[in-house]
Amino acid sequence: MSRFDLSRRSFIKQCVVGGVAVYSAPMLFNAGKANAAMVSDALMEQWKGTGKPKFRLDGIAKVTGQKIYGRDYRAMDMDGWPDTQHYGFILRANKADHRFEGINLSAIPESAKPSLVITSTTLKEAGIKLPGFFGDKMLLAKGQTPDYLGHAVALLIFSDFTSFKAAKLRLQFSESAIIYGEKTSLTSESKDPLASWRIVRSEGKNGANGVDNYSTLSDGLFFPNYVDHQAVWPTDSDKSGSTAQRAIYYADDMAKQMDEEDWFIFEQDYQTQSIEPMMMEPEAFNGWFDRASGTLHTVLTIQSPHDFYLQAGEMIEHSKYKHQITKLVVHSPFIGGGFGAKDHSIFPYYGLMASLLSDKPVHIANDRFEQFQAGLKRHPFKMHHKLAIDKKTLKFKALISDMVIDGGGRLNFTGSVTMVGASALQGVYYLPQNDITAVAYASQNPDCGSMRGYGTLQAMSAMEMMVNESAEKLNVDPFDLRLANIMQPGYRNTQGAIPNGALRYQEMLELAQKHDIWVNREQKKQEFEASNPGKKYGVGFGIVTKDYGTGANAPSTQISITKEGKIVVRLASMEMGTGTDTSQGTLVQQYLGNMADEVFLGEVTLWDVMKLKETDSPYLISQDKQDVMEKDPRWTPSIAMASSASQSSYFQSHTTNIAAKIILEQGLWPAAIEIWRTQFFNNDHAPADFTDVNNAHWIDGKLTAAGYPPLSIDILAHKAHTMGLVTGVMVHAFNRWSWAESEFVIAGKSNKLSIDALALQYGSGASKAKQALMGDTGYHLLDRSRVNYPSTTMNNAMVTYYAPCATLCEIAVQEGSGEVEILATHTWLECGRVIVEKLVEGQIEGGLVMGLGHVLHEYLPLGEEGAGNGTWNLNRYQVPLAKHVGVWNLTHTILPPLSESDPTKGMAEVVMIPIVPAVVEAVYQAIGTRFYHLPISKKEIKKALS
């Protein structure tokens, strides 16, 4: 193919990172070989004609097998790339207690030898190293001990697929391909903890609603010293002393009360396992360094493309290729599932490294064995909990907890996972006192990251298991114990922060308590076991509430309307199978009366129009620094966010709603007034009395107000363009558990908006003055006249946005095999105002299945028997199948919103959690044995029954 010339392509320049101009691009595929199915105009009308989507925007491509993922692209599919494709294979250590002394490629025949062998020496000579986020030792050097099982030691480049495949077959499971030297201790044993958190709170004299004696939010955080690589917390206690001394004072007092008061004390250890995310598409990368044009092209399969932009620039900046590369072009196609495992993954940087060092396009793709060995995992937790309960009132009095988290061999998101797990422990319950400690340590196991649940699954499941067992020991109904301790609106969480909005936990509990599965459980047990010899019946329940968001969310949206009335939405979010394109395309009809005609996802460079800049970490910046920086209208605490943490439904929707509302108020509404005023009103004799936008209503896709003729979107758009009104809007917002607010002057009037950056496009009939305002970018970038960012102290709140979910399940245990059969489940979910109900239902079902995998099936041993040895695949790792999940009896109730003004809540993670403690309790009710570690295997159940 002809060499790709950037000047002939409509790329949007984002920024210069490390001297490299960064660009995003549409997928430049060969339409005949790698084209996703497009939705026809007729089908599009069906999709949007009723006001409710009849199918997902990507649904037709999915069911016809034509949806193309990043993994599917080869050089021949990319316009302008050479047809020749090289292939890369990463050699990884399967031992972590011996020195690495080199590689042995003698098993490869001469015809399959690699054309290039990349080692740590190669990287040193080229000045290539990992971005700072991932640490060091991109490739292990001779004489070093691997930091973890699966540590990369070399990358082999092959000139064609045949040689690549032949070599890989001989190397992948070879015991001689990597040469090991003397046995050593694990490197993790010489590392300090990866993260340490302690959350202490003591309520004040006015109780749950009053001022606390001490809390993380009001008093701040304190941290341990590290002695012999262990966390050692302060012991000095002083009620009027430093933050640490005051915290220890109240922690000691809490422990003393537990020893002296006549409370019921429940104390237990819990343990969770290592889990493989098992996304549909293992990670892949394709890249080409076009030296002639100084352009580095990449095709990614990640959840966080903006972070790749920045970190790839950092990597190039330190390399010897710094002055050879003038452009980095990044393609962000669909990714086949993520579950957090493609958020800040290290994998694409090995592809970037190979591309820099190769003279042809390089394709690197994990097979399932490699994904098990090298992909991010869910963090294993070990927990010791001590819960105090008043025997008379059944009120929880205090909780002391000690959590130890396995962070794997390379630091990823372990710090925040540890914090979120600790802050989530309380679940739906109010605790007047708590002392929660969580420390994460490095290990020889594969890296752990932001897998679905993000620490809350591990913590809250244990809390529910405690509540169920405590109720039994106190001889009270578990619902009564829950109802006695439920969080109410205005109560403070374990950090001392007040959760936002209504808390509908009591409503959900009362619904579950009346459900047939619960009401008839004892009678059903007798009848079922009598008619099914060899089977034991049990019912269990769990309820949790999970945070959504990160405390530094930064969504962006651009919406435009063509002169013909077509609505185009562009988003920062990626599509990972959650239906973001469908939901956001549906959302705009609230203000634009119609669903979107086109939705583009994964936009990164587009937002450069707003010229945003960030300086410090939004989590670490001081209030004084923020006060100074916010005076710059281009500054924001954070420019972008990854597609993770259940963010799109609330955070992405926020900017989509605001952008759509501005187009209505500044474009379509003035156009409508002009049409009504000049064609349907005695304009020459009286002022128009229908100009209040609050009277605007969309009926069947047409805009009307005060009895004036409904106007279709195409008529309004044509008029708005002709008048040079606002026809395109780009916005950016920032949320630290509350939205930043700014003032912008639009058309001479001040507008207070919950965003911090705004750019406008004017219609084709705009005056020369307006056209000049848009300039070369095509946007009029407005300066905010004032901004109010949430205080940096809100970082101490850790979380304040929650979505609750509860699940009842009935199961049968086969005595002969120990297998657990899911007979039926019912889930209750409160997720605010639902955008697309079918997408929410899909999340409920998929989340429940993933939770069943966690509690009953999925397990990776730690150490050399685990995933890091490179021999794990689905032949050994059981994921739940249809036969395991009671697929025909999964029912649910989605609570209706309190009003149409309810927010849309992030719920993609919470739906997988309550089934875990529910199944644990149901197994106990069936066989009379409690389990305190996960998963509960058939072998262990069979042993308990014997």
Side-chain angles (χ1 to χ4, degrees), residues 60-280:
I60 293 172
K62 274 191 165 187
V63 299
T64 57
Q66 297 179 80
K67 184 170 181 180
I68 304 300
Y69 298 96
R71 184 181 181 86
D72 299 322
Y73 291 96
R74 299 296 186 273
M76 66 177 65
D77 302 314
M78 305 294 290
D79 186 17
W81 288 33
D83 288 338
T84 306
Q85 177 79 71
H86 286 184
Y87 295 85
F89 173 58
I90 303 174
L91 271 176
R92 299 182 179 278
N94 61 0
K95 298 177 187 289
D97 59 352
H98 286 73
R99 294 195 190 282
F100 166 66
E101 297 296 350
I103 59 175
N104 173 19
L105 305 182
S106 61
I108 306 175
E110 284 300 319
S111 60
K113 292 290 186 182
S115 58
L116 176 64
V117 178
I118 303 171
T119 66
S120 63
T121 301
T122 315
L123 299 189
K124 186 176 181 180
E125 293 171 351
I128 296 174
K129 60 181 181 180
L130 283 168
F133 176 85
F134 297 99
D136 56 8
K137 300 181 185 176
M138 188 173 195
L139 293 176
L140 202 64
K142 287 184 180 181
Q144 293 180 329
T145 299
D147 284 351
Y148 51 96
L149 296 159
H151 198 146
V153 299
L155 196 156
L156 313 181
I157 304 295
F158 298 88
S159 58
D160 56 66
F161 183 79
T162 302
S163 58
F164 159 77
K165 192 64 177 177
K168 186 174 181 179
L169 285 171
R170 289 164 173 79
L171 295 177
Q172 186 167 12
F173 305 109
S174 170
E175 288 298 321
S176 60
I178 297 177
I179 303 168
Y180 294 101
E182 64 175 343
K183 186 177 178 64
T184 67
S185 59
L186 299 174
T187 61
S188 58
E189 294 174 356
S190 61
K191 293 182 179 180
D192 285 341
L194 302 177
S196 302
W197 300 93
R198 191 162 180 177
I199 303 172
V200 177
R201 176 176 174 264
S202 171
E203 74 172 12
K205 62 181 180 181
N206 293 322
N209 300 103
V211 176
D212 289 332
N213 293 324
Y214 181 94
S215 74
T216 299
L217 176 62
S218 61
D219 294 88
L221 294 162
F222 69 105
F223 298 96
N225 292 318
Y226 294 150
V227 179
D228 295 330
H229 311 299
Q230 297 293 310
V232 178
W233 294 95
T235 57
D236 289 347
S237 171
D238 186 342
K239 186 177 181 180
S240 303
S242 66
T243 295
Q245 289 171 329
R246 296 186 68 237
I248 298 303
Y249 171 85
Y250 287 105
D252 289 347
D253 183 60
M254 194 184 317
K256 183 179 178 182
Q257 290 177 58
M258 279 196 173
D259 290 336
E260 297 178 354
E261 298 287 347
D262 185 24
W263 294 336
F264 168 77
I265 304 295
F266 180 82
E267 191 168 6
Q268 187 56 256
D269 293 317
Y270 298 90
Q271 185 172 346
T272 68
Q273 76 275 40
S274 175
I275 287 278
E276 167 63 29
M278 262 308 299
M279 74 289 282
M280 181 189 77

Side-chain angles (χ1 to χ4, degrees), residues 488-490 499-505 802 804 830 898 902 905:
Q488 298 293 345
N500 294 44
L503 306 179
R504 301 173 68 182
Y505 311 151
Y802 296 92
E830 194 276 295
L898 297 175
D902 278 21
K905 297 184 178 182

Side-chain angles (χ1 to χ4, degrees), residues 559-561 591-592 658-670 726-729:
I559 301 177
S560 59
I561 297 184
Y591 293 108
L592 303 182
I658 289 178
K661 186 178 181 183
I662 293 173
I663 287 183
L664 169 65
E665 294 178 346
Q666 304 296 330
L668 301 184
W669 179 245
V726 173
T727 56
V729 174

Side-chain angles (χ1 to χ4, degrees), residues 280-297:
M280 181 189 77
E281 176 201 49
E283 293 179 90
F285 178 98
N286 209 345
W288 173 45
F289 181 13
D290 180 3
R291 287 172 167 78
S293 67
T295 304
L296 179 59
H297 303 268

Side-chain angles (χ1 to χ4, degrees), residues 321-382:
Y321 303 101
K322 171 182 177 180
H323 300 295
Q324 299 178 34
I325 299 173
T326 58
K327 303 179 185 72
L328 170 65
V329 179
V330 180
H331 303 280
S332 299
F334 289 114
I335 63 173
F339 305 123
K342 294 177 182 174
D343 181 8
H344 284 74
S345 165
I346 197 174
F347 181 85
Y349 301 98
Y350 287 93
L352 187 68
M353 170 253 285
S355 300
L356 289 171
L357 294 167
S358 178
D359 59 354
K360 291 289 191 299
V362 180
H363 184 262
I364 302 177
N366 282 342
D367 63 20
R368 192 62 70 179
F369 287 107
E370 292 167 300
Q371 191 64 41
F372 267 91
Q373 182 179 31
L376 294 171
K377 302 293 182 283
R378 178 175 289 148
H379 290 78
F381 275 48
K382 290 182 179 180

Side-chain angles (χ1 to χ4, degrees), residues 598-668:
E598 292 184 284
V599 179
F600 296 90
L601 299 164
E603 296 279 3
V604 178
T605 57
L606 175 66
W607 319 116
D608 186 51
V609 167
M610 294 182 282
K611 300 181 180 179
L612 294 170
K613 56 187 176 183
E614 61 184 56
T615 51
D616 305 66
S617 164
Y619 303 105
L620 301 176
I621 189 171
S622 68
Q623 186 63 49
D624 289 342
K625 181 69 175 292
Q626 178 172 289
D627 291 342
V628 171
M629 295 309 304
E630 68 182 26
K631 296 174 183 177
D632 181 345
R634 303 290 168 254
W635 182 82
T636 181
S638 182
I639 292 175
M641 66 183 192
S643 294
S644 60
S646 303
Q647 295 186 96
S648 67
S649 61
Y650 179 68
F651 299 98
Q652 186 67 75
S653 294
H654 177 80
T655 48
T656 299
N657 272 325
I658 289 178
K661 186 178 181 183
I662 293 173
I663 287 183
L664 169 65
E665 294 178 346
Q666 304 296 330
L668 301 184

